[in-house]
Amino acid sequence: MIQYFKLGSWDRLILLFVLFGLIQFPFLFLNNHLLLPELLWLRLGERLSSGWRLYAQAMDDTGPLSALVYAGIASIKGVDFYIFRYLGAILIVIQAFWLNQIAQRFQLITERNFLIAFFYVIFSQIGPDAATLSPTLMANTFIIAAYGRIFKLIRFGPDNNDVMYLGLVIGLATLCYQPSVILLFPFYLSALFFSGLRLNQYFIILVAVVVPIAAVYSFFVLGGGESEFWTCFLSPFRIRFLQSWVGWELILGYGGLMVLLSLLGWALANRSSRVNFQLLGYSVFFFGLVGSSFMVFFGTIQTTYQLCFLVPHVAFFMAQFVSFSKSVLVQEILVLFIVFIMVGGFFGMADPSFGKQIFNHQLFVGEPPKGFKVNFENRNLLLLSNDFRYYKYNKSATRFFKFYMSGLNENLSQTHEGLIFWYQCLEENPPELIYDPSGLVPALAVRIPEFGKCYRASFYPKLYEAIPGTRFGLGEK
């Protein structure tokens, strides 16, 4: 099987497209189950496209550039969650062949072939939320661009334009998914050991990384929301996750397999290659592998799309393993094992019932209770819970888009400042429904009399609905 992709001819390219299409076809066209992250990206995009500002008016942990993409998608009328999967598939193909082209251009592989692209599309099937348009997938595009530029600096010598470009793409990756900035350190190590950059050029890289972030921050300073910016933007830089959509067995299982295979390819390539620039390239990708492995433990949500950053490295090193391994039988057995594990696992996780029972993940959105759906559909909802299935048929209201990001607790309604904050948020965007399984509303209603004039308990437990003819903050309409 893998021997077919050792040649870089057009028929191999077409076959690789066909292979990827066969793997993705059930997920792209037959799977009508909405992923939990896709639902949240849809709702976030709707709010931002309606004029609400990220962080200041929609408490969220999504990177600004990714959120802007979701807002642009939401502004196109009639789109649904399938657009995320189509765009994600396109992005995976682009990244696969871009990384393959970079390796060929700088002669990091011994012969012209599509091995890197082949392994890239196989290892990208680490989970259904990794195959859709996730922030990490978008950030990976800029990381691959950074690899292309660091190899240019190593091969042709320092150039200020290339140095600036390297910093800018790392900064843009950070705006897609904030922990991406951790990969600045592996690129610094590569430049330090192999490129001959001057001291001032390291500062240029750092400044170029900061420029896009500073531009976004300036927008929040001028428009209001400076404190919210830092709270939300820095929230993914935490080791303890606020939400877990998959268990550690999946993260460590897939992540550990990808790291071990990368180390196997790295060891064989270093032992077998005699080309100096190839050896430098192995070290550069090794540094990136170490940095990407650390990134798996950062974030607010534990899910499989965090493993996206390992994909370019394992694809590169497995291509080296196949290139330098002398036993065709070992190559074929190992590749068949990888295809079985990755593609079989992807199909299993992409099936909602099988994935929940066997893989114990919570990546798909369940149906809200029937009574809630029938009686309260299409009404703006303030969700004081992390049970996001209630967003499936109801748009979000107020800035408390994600409860785990809001910081709301019972103590907030016991202080003067907390009550003012509650009042401002409810007045800014009064919800039609408030679902409160945490029991925050009773204390709030006692301390803000206007709340009782505008909302009443519904027949559905813990659900409050707006009284017709009233609007919070304005009294009667």
Side-chain angles (χ1 to χ4, degrees):
M1 177 182 181
I2 193 61
Q3 309 304 316
Y4 194 79
F5 296 102
K6 283 188 173 182
L7 295 178
S9 58
W10 283 103
D11 57 328
R12 270 70 172 176
L13 178 62
I14 294 172
L15 181 63
L16 190 53
F17 273 118
V18 172
L19 176 64
F20 181 68
L22 290 175
I23 295 172
Q24 287 281 299
F25 181 81
F27 182 63
L28 293 178
F29 300 103
L30 303 180
N31 191 321
N32 60 356
H33 296 279
L34 177 64
L35 286 166
L36 182 55
E38 290 173 338
L39 172 63
L40 296 178
W41 298 333
L42 278 171
R43 293 293 179 249
L44 176 62
E46 289 169 350
R47 287 188 63 78
L48 299 182
S49 64
S50 299
W52 294 91
R53 286 185 295 120
L54 182 68
Y55 303 157
Q57 294 176 310
M59 297 290 287
D60 193 84
D61 48 359
T62 306
L65 189 54
S66 300
L68 183 63
V69 172
Y70 299 142
I73 292 173
S75 65
I76 304 173
K77 303 300 180 183
V79 300
D80 57 17
F81 66 91
Y82 280 108
I83 189 66
F84 294 123
R85 301 181 183 183
Y86 300 149
L87 293 176
I90 293 171
L91 208 51
I92 289 173
V93 170
I94 292 174
Q95 292 172 3
F97 289 101
W98 193 3
L99 185 63
N100 203 94
Q101 185 271 338
I102 289 173
Q104 290 181 358
R105 178 186 176 190
F106 295 104
Q107 300 176 345
L108 299 176
I109 50 181
T110 54
E111 298 176 351
R112 177 181 173 84
N113 55 54
F114 291 117
L115 290 176
I116 292 179
F118 170 82
F119 282 111
Y120 198 102
V121 300
I122 296 299
F123 281 107
S124 63
Q125 313 303 308
I126 47 180
D129 63 332
T132 189
L133 191 63
S134 66
T136 54
L137 187 61
M138 288 186 267
N140 238 8
T141 306
F142 296 106
I143 297 301
I144 292 174
Y147 271 115
R149 200 51 51 126
I150 191 67
F151 284 122
K152 184 178 178 183
L153 288 169
I154 295 173
R155 185 66 178 270
F156 301 109
D159 179 85
N160 284 339
N161 292 330
D162 293 329
V163 167
M164 180 68 75
Y165 180 91
L166 176 62
L168 282 175
V169 293
I170 296 175
L172 292 173
T174 304
L175 290 182
C176 289
Y177 183 69
Q178 296 90 312
S180 302
V181 74
I182 294 173
L183 288 177
L184 175 64
F185 298 103
F187 285 112
Y188 260 12
L189 280 177
S190 301
L192 178 65
F193 290 143
F194 310 126
S195 70
L197 261 64
R198 299 185 298 275
L199 181 62
N200 69 307
Q201 291 176 320
Y202 289 98
F203 286 106
I204 291 175
I205 294 175
L206 183 60
V207 169
V209 171
V210 172
V211 164
I213 303 172
V216 174
Y217 174 63
S218 300
F219 171 81
F220 283 91
V221 171
L222 297 175
E226 178 182 2
S227 60
E228 291 86 353
F229 173 84
W230 289 119
T231 299
C232 297
F233 188 80
L234 296 179
S235 61
F237 293 98
R238 54 186 304 131
I239 297 178
R240 182 175 177 270
F241 299 104
L242 298 175
Q243 288 282 288
S244 294
W245 294 343
V246 300
W248 278 112
E249 63 275 8
L250 268 179
I251 296 293
L252 296 181
Y254 275 112
L257 175 66
M258 294 165 76
V259 171
L260 288 176
L261 290 174
S262 299
L263 294 177
L264 176 65
W266 174 75
L268 181 61
N270 273 282
R271 189 189 70 177
S272 304
S273 179
R274 297 294 181 267
V275 181
N276 288 334
F277 195 81
Q278 285 185 356
L279 295 173
L280 296 182
Y282 305 153
S283 298
V284 171
F285 273 100
F286 178 79
F287 294 151
L289 174 68
V290 174
S292 299
S293 300
F294 277 110
M295 290 169 60
V296 173
F297 299 95
F298 285 88
T300 53
I301 299 174
Q302 181 176 287
T303 183
T304 55
Y305 67 55
Q306 293 167 290
L307 300 173
C308 280
F309 295 105
L310 293 173
V311 174
H313 306 92
V314 67
F316 176 80
F317 284 123
M318 282 309 302
Q320 302 299 337
F321 177 87
V322 172
S323 296
F324 290 109
S325 175
K326 297 180 180 179
S327 174
V328 174
L329 180 61
V330 170
Q331 295 175 24
E332 293 295 338
I333 292 175
L334 182 59
V335 170
L336 288 175
F337 170 77
I338 292 171
V339 171
F340 175 77
I341 292 294
M342 301 306 300
V343 177
F346 177 76
F347 287 154
M349 283 190 284
D351 181 87
S353 57
F354 185 85
K356 187 173 183 179
Q357 294 174 7
I358 305 302
F359 291 96
N360 193 30
H361 70 67
Q362 303 172 5
L363 292 175
F364 287 94
V365 182
E367 287 290 326
K370 188 175 181 180
F372 184 91
K373 175 187 174 183
V374 171
N375 296 283
F376 304 104
E377 186 177 352
N378 295 324
R379 299 174 67 181
N380 289 344
L381 171 68
L382 166 57
L383 182 63
L384 301 178
S385 165
N386 292 318
D387 190 354
F388 297 114
R389 58 180 172 156
Y390 288 93
Y391 279 150
K392 189 168 185 178
Y393 303 103
N394 299 80
K395 295 183 179 180
S396 62
T398 77
R399 66 183 61 191
F400 306 129
F401 174 56
K402 292 180 179 177
F403 185 68
Y404 67 82
M405 285 292 301
S406 66
L408 297 177
N409 55 63
E410 57 184 10
N411 296 325
L412 195 64
S413 59
Q414 298 176 5
T415 65
H416 182 67
E417 294 80 5
L419 290 173
I420 292 176
F421 180 61
W422 263 111
Y423 191 94
Q424 290 175 340
C425 294
L426 292 172
E427 181 185 33
E428 180 183 52
N429 182 215
E432 298 175 73
L433 300 170
I434 301 176
Y435 181 54
D436 179 37
S438 303
L440 301 178
V441 165
L444 190 67
V446 170
R447 292 171 174 81
I448 303 181
E450 187 177 348
F451 187 92
K453 298 177 182 179
C454 298
Y455 292 95
R456 64 189 178 192
S458 71
F459 68 87
Y460 191 86
K462 304 293 185 179
L463 184 70
Y464 301 85
E465 59 181 347
I467 299 174
T470 63
R471 176 185 170 91
F472 189 90
L474 297 178
E476 294 184 358
K477 288 186 179 178

